[in-house]
Amino acid sequence: MRSDTVLKGSTRASTRSACYSMGYTPEELDKPLIGIVNSFNEVVTGHRHLREIAEAVKVGVIAAGGTPMEFPSIAVGDCFAMGHIGMKYSLPSRELIADSCEAMALAHGFDGLVFIPNCDKIVPGMLMAAARLNIPSIFVSGGPMLAGRYKGRNIDIITVLEGAGRFEGGHITAEEFAGLEKHGCPTCGSCAGLFTANTMNCLTEVMGMALAGNGTIPAVFGERRMLAKRAGAAVMALVEKDVRPLDIMTIDAFKNAIAVDMAIGGSTNTVLHLPAIAHEAGIELPLSLFSEISDKTPYLTKLSPGGSHYLQDLNEAGGIPAVMKELTKRGVIDTAAATVDGTVADRLAAAAIERPDVIRSVAEPYRQKGGIAILHGNIAPDGAVVKESAVAEDMLFFAGPARVFDAEEDAIKALLAKEISDGEVVVIRYEGPKGGPGMQEMLNPTAVIAGMGLKVALITDGRFSGATRGACVGHISPEAAAGGPLGLLREGDIITVDIPGRRIDVRLSEEELARRKAAWVQPPPKVTKGYLVRYASAVTSANTGAILKSR
């Protein structure tokens, strides 16, 4: 056992003595040591209940003959961080999470690991760590919250966010706005729609690193605690058989994840996170692979923000196994791929669609292509990303004059001052991985746009929340701060966003772009001290997953 290195022999007596001081018995120290990585805190609604999940995991570990040892991980809450300097730390925290898990796991010689994430960057950060460490591991998330109810309809956090735009636009009263605020998030858990957290928890299940149900069983259900106990027991089997993350996170597992991502219309942030996780596993996931899989994967579910269903509905409809089984009819799922408890084929044997209104058949999909589209053009030579499934049909092709902002805050001010008109293209630049730094999510401006009912497109080298809907194109690469064409745009330039044609262009000649490039001046950095300076110096472009060069 790996733990023998830190516990066995006369020279390790002090370690054993320290363990006895914490109440561990000699018998417990003779069993496999299982690190329980818990991202609990009292800041993030998706993490507020994770102590309960961790306790259930420990029950499973102990029942299966192991000794659990819990340690923490940070978790940035995007609801708190949104719209100010805090959002600059959201994506960069992914690297801190991976690094801290690596430090704790290797410093303490654990034989196995159970990762307990729930929200946005925490899930991919821990998956990156699992791939890097390659110690027998399993994931169990905290699960999604239930949808709220207000005035006879289901609502969620995006209803609240867009409520701000509706209120500012005079479409709802202050009383109605307050009602949305009070009822939008009724329970603990990751936000009820298919935003980044729930997308990543579903894809962790698809990749085989979590048990079936990990992505969809609601946080407040007893079944979630049962799942945690089973995960605790399952890690012991992984330790015994020496099944490691890189035995599971193969290229086929990543292809399965991309296919399901396209079928359910997941968050565009997966196009950042999956390549970063794959990088740690020694696998390359180019944007072209996302396009290739999207072209042959039908869009089967319409979950919020792209539709009116929620994760609780997907769970009731048969969950991720039902989606995967339906996708086998198109040949886009490798059923021989390994999971933490067998193969994909084992999981799909009893899977079935229980609610056809939630999961459509491949014969009658919402769209023949997947929910995420990769665009290229003279604005984005290295690619850009849009959540096509959350774009209205009449906005799939859009052309208009540019309104250019060099910071998210400036765009928000213009929107609230009603200085943006229908038919325009809002450009928010210098918000990429380097320029932000940290590649801020643009949920505030997109929610205001949707709430006000503006018919505009938004393009950025930043990124979007999974809760974003509309003609919003992000991850434009190369970013403006790296000299990308986005930094060359001027007020009034005509921009064309052609999602079906997979193009994003400005109507300028190559000669004019070259003249502007020659005159371009690197702007001063927005942050001059602390972690973000180090992050900006090492981070790569969005099209490579915003990984750090040192890796």
Side-chain angles (χ1 to χ4, degrees), residues 340-488:
V340 288
D341 63 342
T343 66
V344 170
D346 296 332
R347 290 192 178 179
L348 304 191
I353 296 174
E354 302 294 342
R355 283 185 57 184
D357 63 313
V358 177
I359 305 173
R360 287 195 175 186
S361 70
V362 294
E364 296 181 301
Y366 287 103
R367 290 178 182 167
Q368 291 294 338
K369 292 187 178 183
I372 294 176
I374 309 299
L375 313 184
H376 288 83
N378 64 0
I379 291 177
D382 294 337
V385 182
V386 63
K387 189 169 183 174
E388 183 176 7
S389 60
V391 181
E393 292 289 336
D394 63 350
M395 293 292 288
L396 290 172
F397 181 91
F398 191 89
R403 298 297 311 278
V404 181
F405 302 94
D406 289 347
E408 178 191 11
E409 295 82 359
D410 295 339
I412 287 284
K413 289 177 185 175
L415 284 164
L416 294 179
K418 300 179 175 59
E419 296 172 357
I420 305 297
S421 302
D422 285 352
E424 295 178 331
V425 178
V426 178
V427 177
I428 304 178
R429 62 189 181 187
Y430 297 110
E431 293 289 11
K434 285 184 180 296
M439 203 178 182
Q440 298 187 118
E441 284 188 345
M442 302 292 163
L443 182 54
N444 269 356
T446 60
V448 170
I449 287 169
M452 286 183 164
L454 286 171
K455 194 168 184 178
V456 300
L458 188 154
I459 70 173
T460 180
D461 50 8
R463 61 196 181 94
F464 297 115
S465 164
T468 290
R469 64 187 178 98
C472 302
V473 182
H475 304 200
I476 289 178
S477 301
E479 62 176 291
L486 195 68
L488 310 180

Side-chain angles (χ1 to χ4, degrees), residues 205 212-213 216 318-326 347-348 351-352:
E205 177 182 336
T216 60
I320 292 300
V323 173
M324 294 180 75
K325 189 165 187 176
E326 188 64 21
R347 290 192 178 179
L348 304 191

Side-chain angles (χ1 to χ4, degrees), residues 219-243:
V220 294
F221 281 16
E223 192 180 354
R224 174 61 57 178
R225 278 74 183 158
M226 295 180 199
L227 186 75
K229 292 176 183 177
R230 290 177 181 135
V235 76
M236 294 303 298
L238 295 172
V239 170
E240 182 181 353
K241 298 173 184 176
D242 197 27
V243 176

